[in-house]
Amino acid sequence: MTKIVDSQVTGARAITQSAATDSPIRRLPLIFVTYACMFVFGAILLLMGSLLPSLQLSYARAGNLGSFPLAGILAATVLVGPLLDRFGVKPALGLALILVAAALAVMPSLHSYPGLAAAALAYGVGGGVLNTATNALVSDLSASARGAALNLLGFSFSLGALSAPLLMSLTGGLLPSLVLRVLATAAAIILIPILWLRFPSPSQPKASVQGLLRVLNRPLVWLFGALLFFESGSENCMFVWSSKLTADLLQIGAARANLSLVALSSSLGVGRLLAVVWLRWLSGRNMILVSATTAVAGASLVYCKFGFTSMLEGFVMLGLGLSAIFPTALGLAGDRFRETGTVFGAIMTVALVGGTAGPTLAAWLAKTGPERILDLPIVSAVMVVALVLIIASPSVVPRIE
């Protein structure tokens, strides 16, 4: 991990030498604050799912309320990319943290559905900005080890995603207002060093938004988008369906079947941490190839229905396989484009569409048998392999200098 931090420092130095600044960038604090921002995004992404049981709402209104954060994330991801390249990451992170902290802080005092919906949309927008901006910044700071650094950022996301359910469990689900205030306070505390630290200069300060958007005419951008579409669709499908799939295939109770989701979620986080080590010896392309192969093996093991223990092992393999694909692919994209914010915003938008489509497509597949759900991660992994081989081909596009 020290090696990754050193590479991030090297990348940051290269960026700052081109900008005339009066004070140096404090690189290590900047890196750790960026990871803290991603932790916040992980926490708020799954926050509504933890809050809904404590809200007195109909199923229809609960479902609609759960969609507002996702709508905010999607809207922010679509819009923020060119602004990061034009104006820099610092103002985006600062405004996003203010939006998240304010929305979470007022939610305990809101008792109307429109108020809760507005707050959920607001922290969703803040979360979408945090997600895109932190990935773009870490990519720019880590020129020699983007894949490893972005996997470490993904591990921070995994820790954050566990925090809201864990906090709700520790309070017995009786104090959601306390959880909201804790997370709001965390966002406010992280804002302090964001305001104080010096960030790298914008990558394209003189470019117009229209000029930045021209990079989206390059087919390579959409090849990356397609790769992340399949990965996100597969990952979100398994998050939604793993427990029910286990219960239906083995005819066991829900409490025991939920261990499949625990196995999948835990292995996703562990896999991103392990990828930081593996990427010392593997190229980004080979890391994705190994990951996709592991995902196919895990899905196949689940498909065989050898028993509960074997199925848990399959979900662990599936989680390990899926874990490194998204951040490593972002690293490959960062190697090939200077307009990191614009490109990341575009391909992450496509990924969000895939993540939305995955569970729905799985429901359609399940009509002919629950085991057919596993066709989706297997086919997606095959598509990921095909796409990364095309992307990594030297004839497609050279790396940026």
Side-chain angles (χ1 to χ4, degrees), residues 39-289:
F39 178 93
V40 170
F41 172 66
I44 63 176
L45 181 64
L46 301 182
L47 177 61
M48 188 56 70
S50 299
L51 293 177
L52 284 177
S54 65
L55 301 176
Q56 302 300 317
L57 296 172
S58 67
Y59 283 116
R61 284 201 158 189
N64 291 335
L65 189 61
S67 70
F68 280 102
L70 298 178
I73 290 169
L74 179 60
T77 306
V78 169
L79 298 173
V80 76
L83 301 179
L84 298 176
D85 291 327
R86 178 69 175 80
F87 300 106
V89 171
K90 180 172 183 172
L93 290 179
L95 290 173
L97 288 169
I98 291 171
L99 199 57
V100 170
L104 298 184
V106 302
M107 281 187 75
S109 62
L110 298 175
H111 303 291
S112 68
Y113 178 80
L116 289 170
L121 181 66
Y123 79 67
V125 170
V129 174
L130 289 177
N131 186 31
T132 307
T134 52
N135 276 287
L137 179 59
V138 168
S139 176
D140 288 341
L141 291 176
S142 314
S144 62
R146 284 190 174 94
L150 288 165
N151 272 283
L152 192 56
L153 185 69
F155 177 69
S156 298
F157 166 82
S158 297
L159 291 179
L162 291 173
S163 65
L166 181 61
L167 285 171
M168 291 295 289
S169 298
L170 292 176
T171 61
L174 299 176
L175 296 173
S177 60
L178 176 61
V179 174
L180 289 168
R181 291 191 175 101
V182 167
L183 293 176
T185 302
I189 291 173
I190 296 168
L191 176 63
I192 296 171
I194 291 290
L195 298 175
W196 171 61
L197 291 170
R198 178 176 289 278
F199 279 65
S201 301
S203 61
Q204 306 287 332
K206 297 181 180 180
S208 65
V209 171
Q210 184 178 4
L212 289 168
L213 290 176
R214 290 195 188 102
V215 72
L216 302 184
N217 293 327
R218 296 176 63 176
L220 184 62
V221 174
W222 304 111
L223 287 174
F224 276 110
L227 190 157
L228 295 184
F229 176 93
F230 285 108
E231 191 285 330
S232 295
S234 177
E235 183 176 326
N236 201 34
C237 165
M238 289 295 96
F239 269 125
V240 172
W241 283 97
S242 58
S243 296
K244 182 168 178 54
L245 181 63
T246 302
D248 290 349
L249 290 179
L250 298 181
Q251 296 299 304
I252 60 176
R256 195 177 181 205
N258 280 335
L259 291 176
S260 296
L261 180 57
V262 174
L264 180 71
S265 303
S266 302
S267 59
L268 273 163
V270 171
R272 285 170 180 153
L273 195 58
L274 291 174
V276 175
V277 178
W278 282 107
L279 281 165
R280 296 180 180 180
W281 298 284
L282 295 175
S283 66
R285 185 200 75 159
N286 289 341
M287 184 75 244
I288 292 175
L289 293 177

Side-chain angles (χ1 to χ4, degrees), residues 335-393:
D335 288 338
R336 287 158 172 79
F337 297 100
R338 287 189 176 89
E339 303 87 348
T340 315
T342 304
V343 171
F344 278 24
I347 63 180
M348 290 169 74
T349 298
V350 178
L352 286 170
V353 174
T356 303
T360 303
L361 180 57
W364 179 77
L365 291 171
K367 291 179 180 179
T368 56
E371 66 277 358
R372 291 294 307 280
I373 292 171
L374 295 163
D375 292 350
L376 195 146
I378 292 173
V379 172
S380 294
V382 172
M383 293 302 300
V384 164
V385 167
L387 288 163
V388 79
L389 289 175
I390 296 171
I391 287 168
S393 172

